[in-house]
Amino acid sequence: MAAAPAVASPAVETDRIFKLKAEVAKLNQISVNEKEGFVRLVSRYLSGEEERIEWEKIKTPTDEVVVPYDTLADLGEDPSEAKELLDKLVVLKLNGGLGTTMGCTGPKSVIEVRNGLTFLDLIVKQIESLNNKYDCRVPLVLMNSFNTHDDTIKIVEKYTGSNIDIHIFNQSQYPRMVAEDLMPWPTKGRTDKGGWYPPGHGDVFPALLNSGKLGELLSQGKEYVFVANSDNLGAIVDLKILNHLVKNKNEYCMEVTPKTLADVKGGTLISYEGRVQLLEIAQVPEEHVGEFKSIEKFKIFNTNNLWVNLKAIKRLVESDALKMEIIPNPKEVDGVKVLQLETAAGAAIRFFDRAIGVNVPRSRFLPVKAASDLLLVQSDLYTVEEGFVIRNPARVNPANPSIELGPEFKKVGNFLKRFKSIPSIIDLDSLKVSGDVWFGSGIILKGKVTIEAKQGVKLEIPDESVIENKVVSSPDDIVN
């Protein structure tokens, strides 16, 4: 479980908060809303008021609470029905992350995914295609962090001629706290970007209101926002889900999908004291972690594709009712131990009325977090049509192959250099690559394949090789 703060006596806590407010008041780089939001978050953390989950009260949600996707009603044939729905919708992509873990500078959303198209290119094409098909005007909203804002402003200029309105706003900027006294690092001299952090995607709700974007969208007659990570290629607009929410007046919907062994740490939905709630691994008592990871008991996990009613966001933010679980994130930056407090958007589910989950097909969860994911989406396993990434029906196995690439492939630049062309993996079950391996063109991989270069030896896989159910450590192991 996440470490809770040692709860101080009320007098000590009040004194601490008084000092914190005085220090925060000196931070001229951020708005009054950001200062107040930060102080509220730290106050909640110090009070130790976080609810503890009582394990025996957890219940498995029913199909009324987590609705199976295949029970959702289809839309009629009349395109005006789809247009009417889409005119209520806003698409919001979480665009605050950098591409540093994949060896790229700037926002992660500008990494090229396929055919020279970036995440952002694909998103714009998808929405443009909807707008053209149904003669509607679904806007794209990008929530940036201070890390991605300047670059994103330049990048979106290229879409000026597109049939899409693009809105940009920044999520909050909070000061990192020095761990020993929980005072803001920028007031102690760390005034550059290193002294600050974006407080997690749970901040999307207050930031949407504080930026003025929420009021603007409501005045245009928008009712729902579809929130998703910009790196999830499966997070496309789904009219069946939107139609269900509008008809049933659900204020919040989280898309969940069946767990595999790769997803055991992902948050899951539970019924708790009569409400639907997100349960994250950090909230689980140590003696129940094994049970939490079990695919038998907790069968679904959160994709972070969320559908939320805009008026409900306004109501709950204005009444300061969104008190999501706080995620303490301790770090060491340039030798200084700091603490940043964050929240997650999925944890807000329990505060909305008529909140539900929808158990969606795995195809709606296709995140690109590493080079191994890039290999999947650049391969013949997928095609791209009008910005939509579509799985090849020739793949019989519903699951994607498991792919492990060594550190030599971690950075996108190195990954691209090591493949003359991406191998065919339609019939691949698993691939494990380690060492200094280089792939030729026209290679076909099938079954279970392990390729391991001996230490200090460069292993080149020849063009047109077909490797099926083999361990390869030299070119001699490949007999075509």
Side-chain angles (χ1 to χ4, degrees), residues 280-296:
E280 297 275 18
I281 195 164
Q283 297 166 272
V284 176
E286 215 165 295
E287 65 272 23
H288 294 291
V289 167
E291 202 179 334
F292 176 82
K293 289 181 175 180
S294 139
I295 310 180
E296 273 66 53

Side-chain angles (χ1 to χ4, degrees), residues 202 205 252 278 316 322 324-325 344-352 355:
F205 305 119
Y252 187 112
L278 180 68
L316 291 169
L322 291 177
M324 284 95 88
E325 289 76 13
I349 190 167
R350 64 193 175 102
F351 301 104
F352 288 83

Side-chain angles (χ1 to χ4, degrees), residues 232-293:
N232 180 5
L233 296 171
I236 58 176
V237 170
D238 188 293
L239 286 166
K240 281 170 64 165
I241 296 176
L242 180 58
N243 183 45
H244 185 88
L245 304 182
V246 170
K247 284 202 169 28
N248 293 281
K249 298 185 169 54
N250 303 110
E251 288 188 347
Y252 187 112
C253 167
M254 174 188 288
E255 293 185 36
V256 293
T257 199
K259 257 189 199 180
T260 68
L261 290 172
D263 316 305
V264 291
K265 290 183 179 175
T268 192
L269 281 184
I270 57 171
S271 286
Y272 191 79
E273 297 186 329
R275 290 187 84 84
V276 62
Q277 191 164 325
L278 180 68
L279 177 67
E280 297 275 18
I281 195 164
Q283 297 166 272
V284 176
E286 215 165 295
E287 65 272 23
H288 294 291
V289 167
E291 202 179 334
F292 176 82
K293 289 181 175 180

Side-chain angles (χ1 to χ4, degrees), residues 31-51:
S31 68
V32 171
N33 282 330
E34 287 169 311
K35 290 176 185 179
E36 289 175 353
F38 174 69
V39 170
R40 276 199 302 270
L41 190 64
V42 178
S43 302
R44 265 206 309 132
Y45 175 71
L46 290 174
S47 74
E49 68 177 50
E50 289 287 281
E51 274 184 46

Side-chain angles (χ1 to χ4, degrees), residues 117-290:
L117 298 171
T118 65
F119 289 106
L120 214 43
D121 292 337
L122 292 170
I123 291 161
V124 168
K125 277 179 179 291
Q126 289 164 16
I127 298 174
E128 208 179 8
S129 139
L130 279 177
N131 287 343
N132 292 336
K133 183 175 178 182
Y134 295 105
D135 187 29
C136 56
R137 201 85 193 158
V138 176
L140 171 63
V141 180
L142 299 173
M143 183 172 85
N144 301 320
S145 65
F146 60 86
N147 289 316
T148 60
H149 184 70
D150 293 346
D151 285 336
T152 303
I153 285 188
K154 292 189 200 114
I155 289 155
V156 297
E157 284 174 7
K158 75 188 223 188
Y159 306 120
T160 310
S162 305
N163 181 19
I164 182 172
D165 297 321
I166 300 180
H167 301 256
I168 289 174
F169 73 100
N170 259 14
Q171 77 171 112
S172 305
Q173 177 174 333
Y174 284 179
R176 283 177 164 152
M177 293 179 288
V178 176
E180 63 181 357
D181 61 2
L182 296 186
M183 288 294 128
W185 202 11
T187 61
K188 293 171 177 267
R190 185 67 191 250
T191 52
D192 65 358
K193 276 187 178 178
W196 303 88
Y197 75 100
H201 46 60
D203 182 54
V204 65
F205 305 119
L208 200 51
L209 180 78
N210 294 338
S211 66
K213 287 294 172 196
L214 184 58
E216 190 183 331
L217 295 165
L218 283 166
S219 71
Q220 294 169 9
K222 303 300 179 188
E223 293 180 23
Y224 278 88
V225 60
F226 173 40
V227 180
N229 296 345
S230 61
D231 65 4
N232 180 5
L233 296 171
I236 58 176
V237 170
D238 188 293
L239 286 166
K240 281 170 64 165
I241 296 176
L242 180 58
N243 183 45
H244 185 88
L245 304 182
V246 170
K247 284 202 169 28
N248 293 281
K249 298 185 169 54
N250 303 110
E251 288 188 347
Y252 187 112
C253 167
M254 174 188 288
E255 293 185 36
V256 293
T257 199
K259 257 189 199 180
T260 68
L261 290 172
D263 316 305
V264 291
K265 290 183 179 175
T268 192
L269 281 184
I270 57 171
S271 286
Y272 191 79
E273 297 186 329
R275 290 187 84 84
V276 62
Q277 191 164 325
L278 180 68
L279 177 67
E280 297 275 18
I281 195 164
Q283 297 166 272
V284 176
E286 215 165 295
E287 65 272 23
H288 294 291
V289 167

Side-chain angles (χ1 to χ4, degrees), residues 338-405:
V338 295
L339 179 66
Q340 48 194 60
L341 302 178
E342 301 170 11
T343 60
I349 190 167
R350 64 193 175 102
F351 301 104
F352 288 83
D353 293 336
R354 301 176 72 86
I356 59 167
V358 172
N359 194 348
V360 298
R362 183 75 184 202
S363 58
R364 294 190 56 75
F365 184 67
L366 185 60
V368 177
K369 302 287 183 196
S372 53
D373 302 320
L374 215 46
L375 175 56
L376 283 176
V377 299
Q378 291 190 357
S379 74
D380 56 353
L381 211 48
Y382 291 93
T383 54
V384 174
E385 290 170 33
E386 295 188 317
F388 297 96
V389 179
I390 298 161
R391 201 162 187 268
N392 189 335
R395 169 84 174 172
V396 181
N397 187 338
N400 277 345
S402 80
I403 294 178
E404 281 180 59
L405 301 175

